[in-house]
Amino acid sequence: MGGVSARGCRRLQPRVCGGSLAAGCGGLGPSWRRAGDSSRSGVRARLAAFCFAVGATPRCQPFLVAWPMTARTLVWLFVASATAGRCLLLAIGGTTPDNAYLFLCAERPALGYFDGPAGTAIMVRAVAALGGEWWNFLGPFWAAFASLAAWRLGRRLAGSDRAAGWGVVALNALPAFNTEAMRVGPVMPALALSLAGASLAWEARRAQRAGGLRWAAASLAFFAAGLFSPLGLPMVAGIAGWALSADQRKGSVAAALTLVIASLAGLAPWLSWLASVDWVPLGGWTLRGLLAWSPGAVGAGLGLAIAELSPL
């Protein structure tokens, strides 16, 4: 893996500043559009201010000029800086209403809840047992895990450290990613574990040896993702179809079935709990609410998705 020269670092410096400014725009725009939601808009505004501060600094990251570094080192520094900034914002802003709600769920353990599996509540309860409010900072660390998992998967798919690094920057510039990175919710753990499982599955598909161990690790990652959210199911379905493609090898059928079964096993406690309460839809985000067809809701959902995924 080649290093980055001092001249290359000088050329990279304005790009880092510009990327930080773009991330600031991505966080500040939705906060204006959601002025009525004080919890999220406040977090987004503070995050945008942090990004603007980094991007507007004339000599941002001056150490890039002094020491040539590899793309891996730059990615780790970027992720560490983003994590530190998010933790700082959470320390200044305190516990948000979303995080407080999840803490209350953790105080009342169950197999599942109306808005998702019990993995988040179990995680919060385990960390809260250590004392203090460290559980409030789980979001940024899961975001760091997701960023590194995305970089690892990007390296496998693109075959380029540089392309994978820019993919991590683009991921962290998404408003939806920044919103979830600032809360203790199920989305970020499910995303991080699903990306890690996808990377392990890719390595298992290409490995000449120890492929079975990598398939087992990928199944375990998707099982853990299922304990948090069903959002990883589309990725599991895609990987299973890819494993059963025309150039399949011996054991691909078993590997694909293992991935699907492991993911469904992670969701089984939540599904059984929902069945025990007759699949009551308490809101549009519940499983039964998502399955109910409504043209107006679909249009509003698409508009929200475009706003959350647009860095502008």
Side-chain angles (χ1 to χ4, degrees):
M1 188 181 300
V4 180
S5 64
R7 178 177 297 179
C9 290
R10 292 190 185 95
R11 294 178 178 177
L12 183 64
Q13 180 176 332
R15 297 183 182 180
V16 173
C17 298
S20 300
L21 287 172
C25 293
L28 192 58
S31 69
W32 284 341
R33 290 195 293 268
R34 291 185 175 183
D37 188 352
S38 59
S39 61
R40 292 195 174 185
S41 62
V43 169
R44 287 168 181 258
R46 288 194 294 271
L47 181 61
F50 170 77
C51 293
F52 273 119
V54 174
T57 303
R59 297 182 179 273
C60 64
Q61 297 193 7
F63 52 86
L64 293 178
V65 180
W67 297 284
M69 288 181 288
T70 63
R72 175 182 296 181
T73 304
L74 289 173
V75 169
W76 275 89
L77 285 174
F78 174 79
V79 172
S81 301
T83 303
R86 288 168 179 146
C87 289
L88 177 62
L89 293 175
L90 283 174
I92 295 174
T95 304
T96 63
D98 286 342
N99 289 357
Y101 162 74
L102 292 167
F103 181 80
L104 292 177
C105 291
E107 291 293 306
R108 295 162 178 79
L111 288 177
Y113 302 90
F114 287 104
D115 52 354
T120 307
I122 295 173
M123 175 184 66
V124 171
R125 187 177 180 86
V127 177
L130 302 176
E133 295 188 359
W134 295 108
W135 60 270
N136 200 34
F137 299 93
L138 288 171
F141 285 99
W142 275 112
F145 182 15
S147 298
L148 295 176
W151 181 72
R152 184 182 180 90
L153 179 61
R155 289 181 66 200
R156 300 293 184 269
L157 296 177
S160 169
D161 289 354
R162 181 177 181 181
W166 281 116
V168 172
V169 174
L171 178 66
N172 281 265
L174 293 178
F177 186 87
N178 282 312
T179 297
E180 295 299 329
M182 297 295 289
R183 64 188 295 262
V184 186
V187 175
M188 199 56 66
L191 175 63
L193 292 167
S194 297
L195 289 173
S199 178
L200 289 168
W202 177 272
E203 294 174 4
R205 192 71 171 79
R206 294 290 187 261
Q208 298 294 332
R209 297 180 180 180
L213 292 177
R214 289 185 174 89
W215 278 120
S219 300
L220 183 61
F222 282 114
F223 169 78
L227 295 175
F228 289 94
S229 173
L231 295 176
L233 283 178
M235 187 177 293
V236 173
I239 294 175
W242 167 68
L244 297 174
S245 59
D247 59 337
Q248 59 181 314
R249 299 178 183 177
K250 183 179 180 180
S252 295
V253 176
L257 288 177
T258 302
L259 286 180
V260 174
I261 293 173
S263 183
L264 293 177
L267 292 170
W270 176 50
L271 296 176
S272 64
W273 182 86
L274 283 177
S276 68
V277 295
D278 198 24
W279 307 89
V280 175
L282 201 63
W285 60 87
T286 59
L287 182 62
R288 187 172 175 181
L290 290 174
L291 295 178
W293 171 258
S294 173
V298 171
L302 288 175
L304 179 61
I306 293 174
E308 291 286 351
L309 296 177
S310 172
L312 301 178

